[in-house]
Each structure stands twice: as structure tokens, then as C-alpha cells.
Amino acid sequence: MAERTSVNGASIVLTNLSKQLPELEALYKDIHAHPELSMHETRTAGIAADRLRKAGYEVTTGVGKTGVVGLLRNGDGPTVMLRADMDALPIAENTGLTYASKVTATDAEGNAVPVGHMCGHDMHVTWLAGAAALLSQARGAWKGTLMVIFQPGEETAQGAQAMIDDGLLKRFPTPDVVLGQHVMVGPSGTVAGSAGPITSAADSLQIRLFGRGAHGSMPQASIDPVVMAASVVLRLQTIVSREVAATDAAVVTVGVLQAGTKENVIPDEAIIKLNVRTFDAGVRKHVLAAIERIVNAEAEASGAPRKPEIKPLDRYPLNVNDETASNRIAEAFRGHFSPDRVKHTGPAPASEDFGCFGTAWQVPSVFWFVGGNDPKIYAQAKAAGKLNELPVNHSPQFAPILHPTLETGVEALVVGALAWLGAS
Ligand code: ZN
Ligand code: ZN
């Protein structure tokens, strides 16, 4: 029985996990204290590559700028790709942890910015480094090829595509399945996922609204882009509330609204930057078309001298878990973790460029979540109806508890990989 073999294989591979935990904890704290901005993950990539080399992997660095690919060929069998992202965010950490980041760096616009691992990618790197080492140490327990990928630039939607554009598909074997995971709000010690869409498509747009500037005392001489922008922002709220069916879901968030420099000057343009999340290609198309329609109509209603300029900023594809592969993972997780630790969760309105790999290779992929909250605190917040008050990814207070978050993520990767490599 394939599923039993994989569970047995997992217990062999994971024998050394508890011994390695102190060292993995030190690795996590080190990466946490030394975060790097997207596409600048040289130190982190160097650490990942060193560890893979020491564990006996064939290592290629600099794939898509700072990406690392490790290959471990271990006889005939399937090829499994495991992926972790490495980048941090321009956010000032405010966790109060002893190992909190104090790092600043220069961003793409030349500004000095604080840098913090506020999305937990430091945890992802540690999990994958741990799983890669354990699977290498217990090569007798499985067969096939393991491909381990440390990816740059997830937060800017650049990294996966950069690796693909750098010849990932030609230079490395095609995997049978692509697996990845993310630390999220949830009780530590649990894993969660489901077949179908698992993270949303995301589209960021910049809108420039053109008016006519004038003295603040003479509005009749102006076409006021501030009022135009205000109308656009309010009207955009009707897309989700009035145009998307209750059975579908979407998010339209205006995150930037900028105009003017002085209270008695009517400026001549306004900038809106917004972000859209959708879980269905049809809904996405409708929402994007509605934005364009509303922006143009409001500009026309104001008598704008020029049509607004709508520019895409970045885009994440919809990330869909293959049904068969996803069921295989769920079964392997239930066989390894106790059933109450394996949760079913619908798609998250977060976005990921992880889906690019499965799409490019045209192979199934599965992505799941690993809880990072103290189970007691999570349970109390849930009972009080205050789950939304727990710091989420990208919050300056986001701080997964170390245990059992560290071991759960390592175990999930090992068990997931063995669902293919351990089956005979
Ligand atoms: Zn993030
Ligand atoms: Zn993330």
C-alpha cells in the first residue's frame, strides 16, 4: 500500500529531526535577523546553497538572479520539486523579539527602507533547508529525484518568472509534482489546504486622473481631480457589492490616493493605486473591465481634459491545487499527523507566484498553509470572535511561534515529498 509505505518512510526520514531542531532554530533566527529585499537575497541564497552542497545536492546558483536549485538523484522514480521563497519586505519589524530585524536597505527607487521578514519567508527557507538535509540523510527510505528550489522575489511577483526566464525548464528535469507551503495565521502544529483555487489572482493598477489646476479660490477655472478621484474611489466600492455575485468573491482595495501639495491649490492630476483579488478568471475579467469603465466614466462626468491613464503594476496568477495531487497530499498528511492537525481551508485572498512553476512545466502543483500561532492564543481569539485581531502576514507584529511551527513545516515537506518518492 503506497500510502503506508510513505508514512513509514517519513518516520525513518524524520528520525533525526528532533536532534536537528536547535540548529534549525539558530538558522531561522539568523535569517530572520538578516532579511533581504526582493531580488537581493544574496546572503540567504548563499546559506541555502551551502547547506544543499553539504547535504550532497548538485547545486546551481544565480538562477533568475539569486535563485538556487538543488538536485538529489536517488535512483529511478518520480521527480518532486519543493519550493521556498526567500525575500523579506520593506516593513519596520515591531515584534519585540530578541532576534528582531534592525536592517535597513536601499529600495529600487533609491530610498532607505527598513527590512523585515514580516511574511515568514525566513520560516520557509528554514523548513526547506531542514527537509532537504533529512531527505538526503535517509536516502535508503525513498527513490527518485528531489529538486529543491529557493526562489527570489516572491513579494514583487518577479522571482518565479525570473527563474523560468533564466532557462529553468531547459536546465533542470521536469518534476512530476511541484509542492510549496506558507506560514499563515492558524494554530501552530496544524496544516491546512484544499483542492482547487488556494490563493487568489492579484492585479495591481495605477490610475492617473487628469484635471485642470487652478487657484483654490477659483474652482470654476479648474477641473478638480481631487473630487474626481474621490468619486472614483467611492464608485469602485460598488464593483464587489453590486456587480459580483454572492457566490463569487473579489476584493478591490485602493491603497494609494495622492493629489495636491497645498490647501489653496487645485492640482491638475491625481493618482490612485489599487489592488484586486479574484478566484475565478471570469470574475477577474469582469472586475478589471468594471474598473476601467468606472474610471473613464467618472473622468468624463467631470469633464476631464484627457482620458485617464490605467497602467498595470504587477500581477500574480490564480494558484490552483491539482485535485488528484492535492488528495494525495491530504491523505499523506492524515496518515502522518493526527487528523485534528489537518484542516480543510478554502482559498486565501493572498497571492503567490508559486503557481507559475506548475503552469510553466504543465505539471500538477499543491500549495498548503502551516499555522504559526500559539494554539492557546488562537483558540482564545477564536472564542472571543477576535481572529481578525491576530497579526497577519505583512503586519509589523507578525511573528510565528518557533515550536511546533518549525517542526510541522519540515514534517509537511518530507511527508509531501514522500507521497511520491516513498511510494513503491
Ligand atoms: Zn507576503
Ligand atoms: Zn509570502
Side-chain angles (χ1 to χ4, degrees):
M1 259 167 49
E3 142 213 356
R4 259 205 90 91
T5 315
S6 76
V7 171
N8 289 341
S11 62
I12 297 167
V13 175
L14 292 168
T15 318
N16 287 332
L17 174 58
S18 55
K19 247 186 275 166
Q20 287 181 13
L21 268 183
E23 202 266 323
L24 285 178
E25 186 178 317
L27 172 66
Y28 171 76
K29 288 178 177 171
D30 177 58
I31 299 173
H32 187 88
H34 297 92
E36 295 171 299
L37 289 176
S38 304
M39 307 309 291
H40 294 277
E41 310 86 343
T42 45
R43 181 181 185 273
T44 313
I47 292 171
D50 269 356
R51 289 190 163 245
L52 290 179
R53 272 186 217 107
K54 277 187 196 130
Y57 285 71
E58 293 164 42
V59 178
T60 311
T61 56
V63 184
K65 201 165 176 207
T66 62
V68 178
V69 180
L71 276 176
L72 188 61
R73 299 178 210 266
N74 188 29
D76 293 336
T79 298
V80 172
M81 191 273 247
L82 303 179
R83 171 272 203 179
D85 41 12
M86 302 187 284
D87 54 334
L89 287 156
I91 297 177
E93 176 166 356
N94 185 19
T95 58
L97 292 166
T98 52
Y99 49 93
S101 163
K102 296 179 186 72
V103 171
T104 55
T106 308
D107 72 5
E109 282 87 45
N111 306 312
V113 290
V115 189
H117 262 300
M118 310 327 294
C119 199
H121 299 183
D122 47 353
M123 187 61 81
H124 305 172
V125 171
T126 310
W127 284 338
L128 187 52
L134 290 169
L135 282 158
S136 170
Q137 285 158 18
R139 278 176 240 188
W142 58 275
K143 264 187 169 173
T145 299
L146 190 60
M147 176 160 41
V148 166
I149 289 192
F150 291 90
Q151 180 212 302
E154 189 283 324
E155 295 292 354
T156 52
Q158 289 170 290
Q161 197 56 48
M163 292 189 82
I164 292 162
D165 293 344
D166 199 9
L168 186 74
L169 275 58
K170 278 192 220 118
R171 294 162 69 185
F172 302 98
T174 303
D176 293 276
V177 69
V178 171
L179 306 177
Q181 55 183 6
H182 207 300
V183 62
M184 278 271 168
V185 171
S188 178
T190 65
V191 290
S194 60
I198 189 72
T199 59
S200 61
D203 293 86
S204 294
L205 305 175
Q206 177 182 290
I207 297 158
R208 262 178 90 189
L209 296 165
F210 302 103
R212 186 166 65 229
H215 197 286
S217 66
M218 292 177 254
Q220 73 282 8
S222 78
I223 291 170
D224 190 343
V226 174
V227 175
M228 200 189 305
S231 300
V232 168
V233 171
L234 284 181
R235 183 102 201 174
L236 288 174
Q237 309 308 312
T238 64
I239 299 175
V240 175
S241 66
R242 305 289 80 191
E243 298 190 39
V244 174
T247 45
D248 287 323
V251 176
V252 177
T253 291
V254 174
V256 172
L257 177 57
Q258 288 168 338
T261 51
K262 203 171 182 305
E263 71 286 352
N264 66 348
V265 178
I266 297 170
D268 56 10
E269 65 174 73
I271 302 267
I272 290 171
K273 290 186 191 175
L274 59 81
N275 184 261
V276 177
R277 306 286 167 132
T278 49
F279 300 93
D280 174 90
V283 174
R284 175 177 176 268
K285 211 173 145 194
H286 180 90
V287 170
L288 292 178
I291 290 170
E292 199 177 325
R293 188 190 76 233
I294 287 169
V295 167
N296 286 328
E298 287 294 349
E300 201 174 328
S302 302
R306 264 173 75 189
K307 255 186 105 170
E309 205 180 84
I310 303 177
K311 189 173 89 175
L313 293 176
D314 61 38
R315 176 179 174 199
Y316 290 85
L318 184 66
N319 183 9
V320 182
N321 280 347
D322 176 82
E323 190 170 348
T324 311
S326 192
N327 291 340
R328 195 160 170 170
I329 288 285
E331 209 168 296
F333 282 174
R334 282 193 294 267
H336 175 76
F337 299 109
S338 57
D340 60 317
R341 293 177 62 190
V342 184
K343 313 270 184 201
H344 182 276
T345 185
S351 297
E352 256 295 334
D353 66 356
F354 169 79
C356 295
F357 292 111
T359 305
W361 264 307
Q362 297 191 305
V363 299
S365 66
V366 187
F367 193 74
W368 62 84
F369 303 118
V370 179
N373 294 89
D374 183 321
K376 266 193 216 135
I377 293 174
Y378 185 88
Q380 281 163 3
K382 195 175 177 185
K386 290 184 172 174
L387 275 183
N388 281 334
E389 291 179 19
L390 294 174
V392 294
N393 305 64
H394 292 206
S395 147
Q397 273 105 34
F398 181 73
I401 60 161
L402 293 182
H403 304 288
T405 311
L406 260 175
E407 41 274 57
T408 306
V410 173
E411 287 175 54
L413 282 179
V414 165
V415 170
L418 291 177
W420 278 262
L421 302 174
S424 51

